[in-house]
């Protein structure tokens, strides 16, 4: 992923909503552990998961991937 922005952007968006990893996972059908792995940069999301997260946060997939500076 370009510039490896995804982990930081995901965490920032989650924290802006004052959500913990468990709550985000429940809203998106994911485990808190996978959210943690995404935020730590240990795993990369599939295209389907990327779309789910972008839709949840109302941002573009390009923003999440670091290809766009603003949502």
């Amino acid at each position: 992923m370009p510039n490896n922005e995804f982990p930081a952007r995901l965490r920032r968006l989650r924290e802006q909503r004052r959500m913990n990893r468990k709550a985000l996972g429940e809203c998106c059908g994911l485990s808190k552990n996978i959210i943690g792995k995404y935020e730590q940069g240990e795993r990369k999301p599939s295209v389907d998961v990327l779309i789910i997260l972008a839709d949840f946060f109302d941002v573009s997939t390009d923003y999440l991937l670091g290809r766009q500076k603003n949502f």
Side-chain angles (χ1 to χ4, degrees):
M1 290 177 195
N3 303 324
N4 203 23
E5 289 286 324
F6 175 74
R9 289 189 176 190
L10 177 61
R11 183 176 182 161
R12 189 176 320 117
L13 288 167
R14 178 181 59 79
E15 289 176 345
Q16 285 174 350
R17 292 226 180 160
R18 295 191 168 125
M19 298 179 83
N20 60 30
R21 291 174 178 166
K22 181 179 179 185
L24 175 58
E26 288 173 355
C27 290
C28 296
L30 304 166
S31 72
K32 68 178 182 178
N33 293 333
I34 196 68
I35 298 294
K37 289 181 186 278
Y38 292 155
E39 289 183 356
Q40 297 298 321
E42 294 174 13
R43 289 207 45 190
K44 295 179 181 180
S46 67
V47 172
D48 291 338
V49 169
L50 189 63
I51 291 168
I52 289 168
L53 291 168
D55 287 348
F56 179 78
F57 287 115
D58 196 27
V59 298
S60 70
T61 55
D62 279 349
Y63 174 78
L64 279 177
L65 294 173
R67 295 171 45 98
Q68 179 179 329
K69 290 187 180 190
N70 300 316
F71 336 117

